[in-house]
Amino acid sequence: MQTETGTRANDIFSFVGASAFALLIAVLVAYLVLGNQQKWSLEERGSILDSALPSVAVIVFVTGAGGVFANVLVHSGIGDALSSALIATHIPIIVMGYVIALALRASQGSATVAILTSAGLLAAPMAAAGYTPVQATLITTAMCFGGLGLSHINDSGFWIVTKYLGLTVKDGIKSWTLLTTIFSLVGFLLTTGIFAIVS
């Protein structure tokens, strides 16, 4: 169902469909349904909500900080400078996409931002090189694998894993960071091998 922009119906649906509102509704439903099902008192419900806040707050703050840092990278021109420096070295563009995504992932934490920023930076060189759709897809896949690696303390996913598995930061780096980086490298090598075959 679509509504015209600027109408009252559009405003209402935009408000109800906002992610913050949806999350608030989910919390309220859980508060009421689970509380009634478990026969928790108001004090027990309040203590459970309070105990959940510290773990969630870390994740929210890290995610927000990563988004802010990503905007700094984009608007300051550092990403363009990195792309230009790599292009000047004549590195194959599939390797370049992976390295840029990996560097952005390590620096600001968000895989989504790393992938989208890398794709934006390399869109013009890829178009100029005249790659086939299959080659362009493989280059984009390499960027996605770059965005997978080096998940560490500035990544909200790192904190979700470590908090809910009861790991220390050191254990998280030794397990989660290492695992995501290995997945990233293996995926990149497989993608590069396929790219070499189809080129």
Side-chain angles (χ1 to χ4, degrees):
M1 178 179 174
Q2 293 188 359
T3 58
E4 293 183 17
T5 305
T7 62
R8 182 175 295 276
N10 182 66
D11 293 340
I12 292 171
F13 285 124
S14 296
F15 175 74
V16 172
S19 56
F21 187 80
L23 289 171
L24 176 62
I25 294 298
V27 170
L28 292 175
V29 169
Y31 180 84
L32 296 171
V33 173
L34 291 176
N36 290 335
Q37 184 184 36
Q38 299 297 321
K39 297 183 172 41
W40 290 331
S41 66
L42 291 177
E43 290 77 14
E44 287 175 309
R45 297 183 198 199
S47 66
I48 290 169
L49 285 176
D50 289 343
S51 67
L53 287 176
S55 298
V56 173
V58 171
I59 296 167
V60 170
F61 286 136
V62 169
T63 304
V68 170
F69 187 52
N71 279 331
V72 170
L73 288 176
V74 172
H75 290 96
S76 66
I78 293 173
D80 289 323
L82 175 63
S83 176
S84 299
L86 286 172
I87 289 170
T89 62
H90 303 292
I91 297 173
I93 199 161
I94 191 167
V95 177
M96 194 183 314
Y98 177 78
V99 170
I100 291 173
L102 192 65
L104 290 172
R105 163 71 154 172
S107 64
Q108 53 80 38
S110 170
T112 305
V113 171
I115 294 164
L116 292 176
T117 305
S118 303
L121 293 173
L122 294 183
M126 285 173 64
Y131 289 112
T132 65
V134 173
Q135 290 172 321
T137 301
L138 289 169
I139 293 169
T140 305
T141 304
M143 293 179 206
C144 293
F145 280 118
L148 174 65
L150 297 178
S151 169
H152 61 97
I153 58 172
N154 65 355
D155 174 25
S156 56
F158 175 88
W159 289 106
I160 291 172
V161 171
T162 55
K163 287 289 183 183
Y164 289 104
L165 293 181
L167 301 174
T168 64
V169 172
K170 183 179 179 181
D171 289 337
I173 290 173
K174 287 166 64 176
S175 56
W176 178 252
T177 303
L178 181 62
L179 184 64
T180 58
T181 305
I182 290 171
F183 283 168
S184 171
L185 287 169
V186 170
F188 169 67
L189 291 174
L190 289 172
T191 305
T192 305
I194 297 170
F195 185 82
I197 292 170
V198 301
S199 297

